[in-house]
Amino acid sequence: MSVLFPKLAAAIAAVVILPSQTYALENTYLPVEKVPYYEEMPGQPHRLGPLWGKRDVGPAGTLLKVPGGWQAPIHAHTADYQGVVIEGTWSHWVPEMGEGKGIELRPGSYWTQKADQMHADACMSEKQCVILLINTEPYSTFFKSR
């Protein structure tokens, strides 16, 4: 993971450009074993770990952790977001347009997703996937039946 840190730091620096009035920078430390993961939806194995902000209110950074081999149902979100793969091999695609299908996103990879566009995600590796999700507008998830 130490070889990955410079790439991850560069990717985060490149994608996170928030207005200075949004956050007063303070020294903050959160060891990985203390990330407060929680269950987003009953019956689903994915877990969310808030790092900064509140994603349902506004700007936020959230870790998504899923088991290897997991695939999300087709869904969308109420806000644009950016994703960075931290661990595992991820796949993200837009079925309606075929965008992203077959692209393997390994640690350090990055993608963006437009609000309200149905898409799918899967952890392609045998080991778990950990993804950093970054949003600047209030963000919630909805499924095709919306």
Side-chain angles (χ1 to χ4, degrees), residues 30-94:
L30 181 60
V32 69
E33 65 274 3
K34 295 194 178 202
V35 173
Y37 283 100
Y38 65 91
E39 182 180 76
E40 182 182 29
M41 288 181 261
Q44 291 292 318
H46 66 283
R47 299 293 178 260
L48 297 174
L51 298 178
W52 70 86
K54 292 185 177 186
R55 69 191 230 147
D56 60 339
V57 175
T62 307
L63 290 177
L64 167 66
K65 186 189 296 189
V66 302
W70 179 81
Q71 183 169 334
I74 294 176
H75 62 285
H77 308 284
T78 55
D80 294 350
Y81 77 89
Q82 300 163 53
V84 179
V85 179
I86 296 174
E87 184 180 336
T89 301
W90 193 252
S91 184
H92 177 89
W93 67 98
V94 179

Side-chain angles (χ1 to χ4, degrees), residues 3-138:
V3 173
L4 190 56
F5 182 75
K7 289 181 184 177
L8 180 59
I12 292 170
V15 300
V16 181
I17 301 174
L18 299 174
S20 59
Q21 67 270 22
T22 303
Y23 292 108
L25 292 179
E26 297 178 14
N27 294 335
T28 303
Y29 305 90
L30 181 60
V32 69
E33 65 274 3
K34 295 194 178 202
V35 173
Y37 283 100
Y38 65 91
E39 182 180 76
E40 182 182 29
M41 288 181 261
Q44 291 292 318
H46 66 283
R47 299 293 178 260
L48 297 174
L51 298 178
W52 70 86
K54 292 185 177 186
R55 69 191 230 147
D56 60 339
V57 175
T62 307
L63 290 177
L64 167 66
K65 186 189 296 189
V66 302
W70 179 81
Q71 183 169 334
I74 294 176
H75 62 285
H77 308 284
T78 55
D80 294 350
Y81 77 89
Q82 300 163 53
V84 179
V85 179
I86 296 174
E87 184 180 336
T89 301
W90 193 252
S91 184
H92 177 89
W93 67 98
V94 179
E96 184 177 303
M97 301 171 70
E99 284 180 4
K101 189 68 175 167
I103 297 174
E104 287 190 357
L105 301 168
R106 291 181 297 283
S109 297
Y110 164 78
W111 79 94
T112 60
Q113 177 58 58
K114 293 185 245 176
D116 301 319
Q117 185 178 52
M118 290 293 168
H119 60 276
D121 297 284
C123 180
M124 306 304 290
S125 52
E126 290 183 20
K127 66 177 186 170
Q128 74 176 1
C129 287
V130 179
I131 309 298
L132 173 61
L133 302 172
I134 302 164
N135 62 286
T136 58
E137 300 295 323

